[in-house]
């Protein structure tokens, strides 16, 4: 049986979960149609998801379609949870991008589509909510072509849009020459034969169109577009047909075993379960496995674990439909829920490191908040809970704050609320969050060097040179054999950790650190001595190199009525935004640009006044910009490594060396 691992992605509230439910129901995988609004869907199962009516974690559900098993991955649309989407993207064979026929192309959809296109992932576009008042299907197609992909192929039109009777009418290129011609034009972009027919004014051959359409969808070159309503079910049979006919199945099994971990959660009983997608080989319960991880700096590390339980997704459906015994092993193309993988983290791959790149499609979170337990006696419990959560979600990074609290990195307010609820409900810790601080970054501006020779307060020799580069790189200029391996490891780890706080306390990036000197006294010097020494030498080198601080920015879109364009653009310019362009849209004008994240609340607050109450604001992360004037500082947690006496005094204090 073929499988298709199909992701449903979109801006928040476009109708992904409702559509997932509809597809499951239409194919008989579930008997009763649940609803997001009543909190009864298959994929929004978390307490908080049901209460708030939004998806927070990706969830998998399977259905049978002809000779295919489709594993649907319903993903969250809120931009606070992009990390979930990121991981799902890593295991998909194809995607459905859901748009709303009322709201049209929203910024988050643009961001996702850019990634889908760069991955060349076969993608169908489903324009949902055609039943809702204000649905404007034809405008949306124009917006898709302009903002998402020029290679869009609408497969039909909508009758009675904006009414409960709205229906999708699929074109048939066999009988309708106009639609055949339009489709051929789109496909001819990548097909010389169709192009030649068009140039010669020959009627396009419908069979040829079918074949080329399928091939170009599989190659991610063209994106079929369908309309419908997850609420009324309109267009859903046509969507199913497109999934069955136009989307490619999982590629054939690879010769080497390989399975990727794309989600980790705690089940209701508190057990940690991982979701794995297999590309080759077999995995069974009680098997021992090696998990490979690509660290952000490109190194590969491994973890060993043992599978205690393994459930293949869709096994029950398969059993119900074929009467065959459910499979006991996870094989290529399938997804399983697996228990027992202690120490294995999200993004790890079992069996082989092939294809791991450790890079991220989405920017890291930019908001840092200090968390404290309401009851001070629960400090340790809170810290342990946050570490546990960070384990299932690498985007949640924690650090001990200077005053003993724990700080976490977040994407936004909704994620903060969800984290608070998770701490209370899953871990029994009532927590309070301080105000969020925007994370800046530091970059070195020049070259700096520093050396500390053994015997002057420190029991080791370390010398560093730092210079601008991209990402964070660590190199050796000393002989590897000049130190025991464990000392090298201690220096590198301490260096990477110390780069979390640069001259102004912000994480340092785009830097290369080279170890230029090393030395030790055997048997007196320990790895711990190097852990203390490395940050000190590094900060001296960094001070010599100099660093600049950059603040996070937001890429925004403001939609305003035509007569307010001038006033809004002028205001945004005065505020400090860089305006990249304006385009005319059905509702007026859209202004696009970038502004520092700290100014966004002010811009959002003023927009209604400036736009006669009709302005719409949306934004996505937009890189960073150098801070002018005195940069803000982030409190340090490591004493003062810029001052020898103070730093030695800090090291002499008893402290928690976790
Ligand atoms: N009128 C109408 N409403 C719809 C349709 N599809 C979904 N909705 C409503 O839109 C709202 C959001 O639907 P969801 O299915 O939760 O959307 P989602 O994309 O999964 O949202 P997130 O997961 O939070 O990003 C709910 O109130 C749905 O009832 C549709 O086709 N027509
Ligand atoms: Mg949802």
């Amino acid at each position: 049986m073929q499988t298709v691992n199909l992701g449903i992605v979109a801006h928040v509230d476009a109708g992904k979960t409702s559509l997932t439910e509809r597809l499951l129901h239409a194919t008989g995988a579930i008997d009763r149609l649940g609803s997001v609004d009543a909190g009864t869907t298959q994929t929004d199962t978390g307490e908080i998801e049901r209460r708030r009516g939004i998806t927070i974690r990706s969830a998998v559900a399977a259905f049978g379609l002809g000779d295919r098993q489709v594993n649907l991955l319903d993903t969250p649309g809120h931009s606070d949870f992009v990390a979930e989407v990121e991981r799902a993207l890593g295991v998909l064979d194809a995607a459905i991008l859901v748009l709303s026929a009322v709201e049209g192309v929203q910024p988050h959809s643009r961001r996702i589509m850019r990634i889908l296109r760069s991955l060349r992932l076969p993608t169908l576009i489903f324009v949902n909510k055609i039943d809702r008042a204000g649905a404007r299907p034809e405008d949306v197609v124009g917006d898709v072509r302009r903002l998402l992909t020029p290679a869009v192929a609408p497969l039909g039109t909508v009758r009675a849009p904006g009414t409960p009777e709205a229906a999708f009418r699929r074109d048939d290129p066999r009988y309708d020459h106009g639609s055949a011609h339009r489709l051929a034009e789109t496909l001819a972009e990548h097909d010389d034969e169709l192009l030649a027919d068009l140039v010669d004014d020959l009627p396009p051959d419908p069979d040829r169109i079918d074949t080329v359409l399928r091939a170009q969808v599989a190659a991610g070159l063209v994106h079929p577009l369908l309309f419908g309503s997850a609420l009324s079910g309109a267009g859903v049979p046509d969507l199913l047909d497109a999934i069955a006919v136009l989307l490619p199945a999982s590629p054939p099994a690879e010769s080497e075993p390989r399975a990727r971990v794309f989600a980790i959660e705690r089940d209701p009983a508190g057990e940690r379960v991982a979701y794995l997608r297999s590309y080759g080989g077999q995995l069974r319960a009680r098997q021992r496995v090696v998990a490979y991880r690509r660290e952000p700096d490109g190194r590969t590390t491994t973890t060993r674990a043992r599978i205690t339980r393994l459930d293949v997704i869709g096994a029950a459906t398969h059993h119900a439909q074929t009467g065959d015994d459910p499979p006991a092993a996870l094989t290529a193309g399938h997804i399983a829920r697996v228990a027992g993988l202690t120490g294995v983290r999200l993004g790890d791959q079992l069996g082989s490191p092939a294809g791991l790149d450790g890079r991220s499609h989405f920017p890291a979170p930019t908001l840092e908040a200090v968390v404290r337990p309401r009851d001070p006696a629960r400090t340790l419990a809170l810290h342990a809970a946050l570490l546990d959560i960070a384990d299932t979600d690498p985007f949640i990074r924690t650090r001990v704050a200077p005053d003993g609290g724990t700080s976490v990195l977040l994407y936004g307010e909704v994620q903060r609320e969800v984290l608070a609820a998770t701490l209370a409900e899953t871990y029994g810790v009532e927590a309070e969050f301080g105000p969020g601080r925007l994370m800046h970054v530091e970059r070195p501006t020049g070259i700096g060097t520093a050396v500390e020779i053994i015997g002057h307060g420190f029991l080791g020799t370390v010398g560093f040179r730092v210079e601008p580069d991209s990402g964070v790189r660590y190199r050796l200029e000393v002989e590897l054999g000049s130190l025991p391996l464990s000392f090298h490891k201690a220096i590198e780890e301490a260096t990477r950790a110390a780069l979390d706080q640069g001259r102004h306390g912000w994480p340092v990036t785009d830097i290369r650190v080279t170890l230029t000197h090393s030395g030790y006294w055997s048997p007196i010097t320990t790895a711990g001595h190097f852990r203390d020494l490395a940050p000190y030498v590094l900060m001296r080198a960094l001070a010599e190199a100099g660093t600049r601080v950059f603040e996070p920015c937001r890429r925004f879109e403001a939609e305003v009525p035509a007569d307010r364009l001038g006033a809004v653009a002028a205001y945004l310019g005065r505020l400090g935004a860089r305006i990249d362009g304006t385009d005319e849209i059905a509702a007026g004008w859209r202004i696009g640009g970038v502004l520092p994240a700290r100014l966004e609340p002010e811009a959002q607050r003023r927009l209604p006044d400036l736009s006669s109450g009709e302005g719409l604001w949306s934004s996505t992360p937009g890189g960073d910009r150098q801070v002018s004037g005195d940069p803000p500082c982030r409190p340090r947690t490591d004493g003062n490594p810029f001052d020898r006496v103070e730093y030695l005094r800090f090291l002499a204090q008893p402290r928690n060396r976790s």
Side-chain angles (χ1 to χ4, degrees):
M1 191 183 221
Q2 291 184 329
T3 53
V4 187
N5 294 299
L6 179 59
I8 304 208
V9 292
H11 194 86
V12 67
D13 264 359
K16 297 172 291 296
T17 302
S18 306
L19 182 63
T20 302
E21 194 72 13
R22 198 33 102 168
L23 292 171
L24 292 173
H25 187 254
T27 51
I30 54 173
D31 298 331
R32 277 195 42 208
L33 184 71
S35 111
V36 172
D37 307 290
T40 52
T41 61
Q42 294 296 306
T43 48
D44 279 357
T45 51
E47 237 328 277
I48 309 165
E49 293 183 317
R50 298 204 152 176
R51 209 165 49 228
R52 296 188 65 123
I54 63 167
T55 304
I56 295 164
R57 314 289 316 238
S58 299
V60 194
F63 63 82
L65 186 63
D67 61 349
R68 288 183 161 188
Q69 176 182 323
V70 180
N71 293 327
L72 277 184
L73 274 82
D74 176 22
T75 66
H78 196 287
S79 58
D80 279 12
F81 305 107
V82 285
E84 292 285 319
V85 181
E86 161 100 39
R87 284 157 215 148
L89 287 176
V91 299
L92 297 180
D93 300 314
I96 300 177
L97 178 75
V98 182
L99 301 175
S100 157
V102 182
E103 280 83 13
V105 175
Q106 293 164 291
H108 195 51
S109 320
R110 291 174 72 174
R111 204 150 54 122
I112 295 176
M113 190 66 189
R114 216 174 297 136
I115 299 168
L116 294 172
R117 286 182 66 194
S118 72
L119 295 173
R120 288 281 176 92
L121 202 67
T123 301
L124 302 176
I125 299 173
F126 186 74
V127 180
N128 189 33
K129 304 198 185 184
I130 55 169
D131 61 297
R132 239 182 73 191
R136 39 184 193 93
E138 292 313 315
D139 291 352
V140 176
V141 174
D143 288 353
V144 168
R145 189 164 285 129
R146 219 159 34 86
L147 301 170
L148 294 184
T149 166
V152 58
L155 299 186
T157 48
V158 181
R159 208 182 47 213
T163 69
E165 290 75 41
F168 177 59
R169 193 168 41 200
R170 180 139 185 197
D171 298 331
D172 189 340
R174 265 162 231 285
Y175 301 106
D176 174 355
H177 293 298
S179 70
H181 196 81
R182 279 192 298 278
L183 199 50
E185 273 181 342
T186 306
L187 299 173
E189 198 63 40
H190 295 282
D191 190 277
D192 292 342
E193 208 173 306
L194 281 177
L195 185 64
D197 285 357
L198 286 173
V199 172
D200 294 344
D201 241 349
L202 295 174
D205 168 10
D207 290 329
R208 173 97 193 121
I209 289 186
D210 267 2
T211 316
V212 175
L213 178 61
R214 221 169 295 171
Q216 291 195 7
V217 171
L221 292 174
V222 70
H223 305 104
L225 179 147
L226 299 94
F227 295 96
S229 161
L231 213 61
S232 73
V236 170
D238 302 278
L239 179 61
L240 281 168
D241 182 59
I243 296 171
V245 174
L246 294 179
L247 292 181
S250 291
E254 297 173 3
S255 53
E256 298 292 311
R258 180 163 90 91
R260 174 85 57 99
V261 179
F262 67 91
I264 294 183
E265 61 182 33
R266 295 226 167 248
D267 70 8
E271 189 175 24
R272 191 172 180 274
V273 290
Y275 285 82
L276 264 72
R277 187 243 151 112
S278 166
Y279 294 87
Q282 296 206 345
L283 287 176
R284 295 169 189 279
R286 291 182 292 285
Q287 191 169 328
R288 287 182 190 285
V289 291
V290 180
Y292 295 84
R293 179 177 312 151
R294 189 79 82 215
E295 305 287 350
D297 58 6
R299 286 174 312 142
T300 305
T301 52
T302 57
T303 314
R304 281 164 206 285
R306 186 158 174 266
I307 297 174
T308 53
R309 206 185 59 237
L310 182 146
D311 302 309
V312 179
I313 299 285
T317 319
H318 177 77
H319 175 68
Q321 288 180 349
T322 61
D324 297 349
D325 281 345
L330 172 64
T331 51
H334 286 273
I335 291 175
R337 273 167 61 91
V338 173
L341 298 180
T342 333
V344 171
R345 280 207 248 138
L346 264 183
D348 287 3
Q349 199 165 269
L350 307 195
S352 150
L356 285 177
D357 67 4
R359 269 178 314 179
S360 161
H361 299 297
F362 295 100
T366 52
L367 211 55
E368 186 180 47
V370 175
V371 202
R372 267 189 202 78
R374 206 158 280 164
D375 171 6
R378 304 283 287 150
T379 302
L380 278 181
L382 171 68
H383 195 67
L386 286 171
L387 284 180
D388 191 56
I389 294 172
D391 202 30
T392 60
D393 188 341
F395 277 86
I396 295 190
R397 284 220 300 273
T398 66
R399 76 168 195 162
V400 176
D403 59 359
T406 305
S407 71
V408 287
L409 277 185
L410 299 168
Y411 278 102
E413 290 302 311
V414 178
Q415 191 190 14
R416 194 190 65 177
E417 285 171 36
V418 167
L419 190 57
T422 309
L423 285 169
E425 286 161 26
T426 311
Y427 298 89
V429 184
E430 296 285 339
E432 275 167 0
F433 287 74
R437 175 192 2 229
L438 285 168
M439 282 300 278
H440 292 42
V441 292
E442 287 183 36
R443 295 189 172 92
T445 44
I447 301 181
T449 56
V451 185
E452 178 71 29
I453 304 290
I454 194 162
H456 300 85
F458 293 99
L459 285 170
T461 294
V462 164
F464 282 131
R465 184 174 64 248
V466 300
E467 58 209 298
D469 201 330
S470 73
V472 173
R473 290 170 204 274
Y474 180 85
R475 296 276 178 277
L476 295 185
E477 220 169 75
V478 298
E479 292 291 322
L480 185 64
S482 64
L483 292 178
L485 226 47
S486 61
F487 291 3
H488 272 302
K489 199 162 163 248
I491 298 174
E492 181 176 350
E493 280 175 6
T495 303
R496 290 187 180 280
L499 287 174
D500 185 49
Q501 347 191 23
R503 282 171 69 213
H504 305 277
W506 304 107
V508 186
T509 184
D510 295 338
I511 186 170
R512 178 163 66 207
V513 181
T514 308
L515 182 66
T516 53
H517 298 74
S518 64
Y520 67 110
W521 282 340
S522 176
I524 303 165
T525 310
T526 65
H529 292 128
F530 282 112
R531 285 185 203 283
D532 289 345
L533 173 56
Y536 171 66
V537 183
L538 180 69
M539 287 306 128
R540 273 173 41 208
L542 204 58
E544 189 182 295
T547 62
R548 291 205 184 99
V549 175
F550 294 75
E551 65 177 324
C553 291
R554 302 288 295 176
R555 179 170 300 283
F556 66 84
E557 278 183 4
E559 291 186 13
V560 297
D563 61 332
R564 308 306 300 164
L565 173 66
V568 175
Y571 164 74
L572 289 170
R574 275 200 309 279
L575 190 63
R578 187 190 77 213
I579 298 194
D580 291 338
T582 49
D583 358 35
E584 202 166 358
I585 50 167
W589 283 84
R590 181 176 1 229
I591 308 171
V594 177
L595 94 170
R598 75 189 142 83
L599 300 175
E600 185 175 36
E602 176 65 15
Q604 276 176 299
R605 203 174 55 77
R606 288 276 293 152
L607 188 67
D609 276 0
L610 289 169
S611 60
S612 331
E614 286 177 45
L616 285 178
W617 180 273
S618 53
S619 72
T620 54
D624 52 44
R625 182 192 285 188
Q626 192 183 332
V627 174
S628 52
D630 278 347
C633 284
R634 177 168 171 244
R636 304 194 74 88
T637 59
D638 59 351
N640 179 5
F642 297 97
D643 183 298
R644 186 182 190 87
V645 176
E646 265 190 51
Y647 186 61
L648 283 168
R649 205 175 285 148
F650 168 79
L651 292 178
Q653 285 166 20
R655 54 205 156 105
N656 176 5
R657 285 175 181 261
S658 64

